[in-house]
Amino acid sequence: MPAENEKTELFERTPIPKAVMSLAIPTVLSSLVMVLYHLADTYFVGMLDDPIQNAALTLSGPVLLAFNAVNNLFGVGTSSMMSRALGVKDYDTVYKSSAFGFYGSLFSGVLFSVGFTLFRGPMLQVMGTQQSTAATSGYLFWTVTFGAAPAILNVVLAYLVRSEGASLHASIGTMSGCFLNILLDPIFILPWGLNMGAAGAGLATFLSNCAACLYFFVLLFARRGKTFVCVKPSMFGFRKAIVLGIFGVGIPASIQNLLNVTSRMVLNNFTAAYGPDAVAAMGIASTISSVSMQIALGGSQGIMPLIGYNYASGNVKRMKETVGFLTKLALGFMVVCTAAMFFGARWFTLLFIQNESVVTFGAAFLQGLCLAQPFLCIDFIAVGVFQSCGMGKRALLFAVLRKIILEIPALILLDKLFPPYGLAYSQLVAELILAAAAVVMLLRIFRNLEKKNSPLEGGGPA
């Protein structure tokens, strides 16, 4: 059996701070490097001092966010299933779940590329490209038409490797592609190189995702017989319990990201009404604020295998201690980051572009966006717990509350009351309410955990 004693030690007996750090730190570092490569795209495209090129990256965001719908369907869903199966030592389910997640994500990536290529024109119009159509199309040609499958496989493979506690290997794979992207960006984007602008950023992203996938394939080959991650075609199938267990978590997580795409497209369309400078500024502000957000997200994703394993094995005390430790650590960090971004908003924006109009917009947008970060941190942790335990319906409820019930209506209202800067405060309104709801729901889960249904069926406390 592959490294069973080592994994049992980490999930069952390693002290909580050490276990959380060993799982969360590599995931957080991976998330930071991914943010760094997005920052690099924004930075090098910003050196062209062309708001239309910067706007192309921003307007492409919803399509790339749609990748996360597939990532969550097969990445979050499969890793949750694998961790819970490990908790009850059902190794056959672990193997078959990983094979289902791998081939499902591969097929979805190919389908995504074909679908976007066939309907590219109408999709560009819906995205609100307007003056940035050519630049946006060039960027998406490489990241979607050619790059959808490697972009999705890269993330899903990281989830599968992380589900068995190999967080460091998962992060190395992701980070290797990100570092390559950063190295290639100036060569492809800037005038002294290939001078491709936003399209060059897309080409660098495509090549970096291919490199990350190659790392994971080499890793799985080298660790054959020592890993629970299985990509053998013979292990792929449609066993009912596995499909329901994966989709029970993955579909709500996927819908959650589709709602994020919808919200982002609404934000981009509202921002586009104020011109390409405002669109570029919103993109820069969103990228900067995403640094601390990705740290919180990385921490919540990093502990998912630990939460799922102990949920399935019935170790409620260890599960609660894990959530409590991460919450204190992450929340304190987020408060510090929020203060830095709020008071240094103009300085941070100037790092990416020197256009005074864009800087003025961007600094004001960043101040609004960063205020939501501490509350978003609590929300991420709660959703991570829901997904780890197979409580997909709870995660979906939070997504609907955030985007449909709270954030989009707040976006419309605040734009009318305080144009254009009210746009940046809609997330704060949503996260204030959701943070309170997260605390209440987590407390209720811990009180009723003993009444849970079979963990492998994707059930949980009512």
Side-chain angles (χ1 to χ4, degrees), residues 4-322:
E4 180 180 353
N5 292 334
E6 178 185 340
K7 300 180 192 312
T8 300
E9 179 70 24
L10 174 66
F11 290 138
E12 295 182 0
R13 290 181 290 276
T14 301
I16 292 297
K18 183 178 179 181
V20 169
M21 292 299 186
S22 65
L23 290 169
I25 288 179
T27 310
V28 168
L29 289 175
S30 175
S31 297
L32 281 176
V33 172
M34 290 186 71
V35 171
L36 183 60
Y37 108 73
H38 285 301
L39 289 172
D41 282 353
T42 305
Y43 175 78
F44 288 115
V45 172
M47 289 179 68
L48 300 173
D49 201 24
D50 182 355
I52 289 179
Q53 294 291 326
N54 267 101
L57 300 186
T58 303
L59 293 168
S60 300
V63 177
L64 302 186
L65 279 174
F67 286 174
N68 288 336
V70 180
N71 295 340
N72 279 12
L73 176 59
F74 295 106
V76 174
T78 303
S79 64
S80 174
M81 187 68 182
M82 290 174 66
S83 296
R84 286 179 282 136
L86 282 171
V88 293
K89 297 178 172 51
D90 182 357
Y91 301 117
D92 183 63
T93 294
V94 180
Y95 290 128
K96 291 181 178 178
S97 295
S98 63
F100 183 85
F102 174 79
Y103 287 104
S105 60
L106 176 60
F107 174 77
S108 298
V110 173
L111 191 63
F112 208 118
S113 292
V114 173
F116 174 79
T117 303
L118 291 176
F119 301 101
R120 181 174 60 180
M123 288 191 68
L124 288 171
Q125 291 181 353
V126 171
M127 291 160 60
T129 54
Q130 298 176 6
Q131 300 176 52
S132 306
T133 299
T136 305
S137 180
Y139 181 76
L140 292 174
F141 173 77
W142 290 109
T143 55
V144 182
T145 299
F146 279 98
I152 291 169
L153 277 180
N154 169 21
V155 176
V156 171
L157 284 168
Y159 270 112
L160 301 187
V161 171
R162 191 181 297 122
S163 68
E164 60 175 357
S167 187
L168 180 60
H169 281 295
S171 299
I172 290 174
T174 303
M175 290 189 292
S176 63
C178 292
F179 281 127
L180 178 61
N181 190 98
I182 294 169
L183 291 174
L184 294 178
D185 263 347
I187 298 173
F188 293 155
I189 294 171
L190 298 179
W192 59 261
L194 298 180
N195 196 27
M196 295 174 65
L203 176 56
T205 298
F206 164 65
L207 294 176
S208 68
N209 284 328
C210 289
C213 287
L214 179 61
Y215 172 88
F216 284 118
F217 292 140
V218 172
L219 173 69
L220 294 180
F221 179 79
R223 299 186 69 198
R224 61 193 185 281
K226 300 177 182 179
T227 176
F228 287 109
V229 180
C230 178
V231 296
K232 293 180 180 178
S234 60
M235 298 298 288
F236 176 70
F238 293 90
R239 199 168 87 186
K240 182 179 179 181
I242 291 176
V243 174
L244 291 179
I246 292 175
F247 284 3
V249 174
I251 288 177
S254 179
I255 294 174
Q256 176 182 342
N257 272 279
L258 289 175
L259 292 177
N260 289 341
V261 173
T262 302
S263 174
R264 182 68 177 267
M265 290 180 71
V266 171
L267 176 61
N268 284 347
N269 275 278
F270 271 84
T271 309
Y274 301 100
D277 286 4
V279 175
M282 184 63 80
I284 291 171
S286 298
T287 301
I288 296 170
S289 67
S290 71
V291 174
S292 58
M293 182 183 72
Q294 286 295 327
I295 292 173
L297 180 60
S300 66
Q301 289 180 338
I303 66 165
M304 282 179 62
L306 186 59
I307 295 292
Y309 184 99
N310 285 284
Y311 171 78
S313 62
N315 194 340
V316 182
K317 180 176 182 294
R318 189 169 174 82
M319 179 182 165
K320 290 170 64 176
E321 289 176 355
T322 299

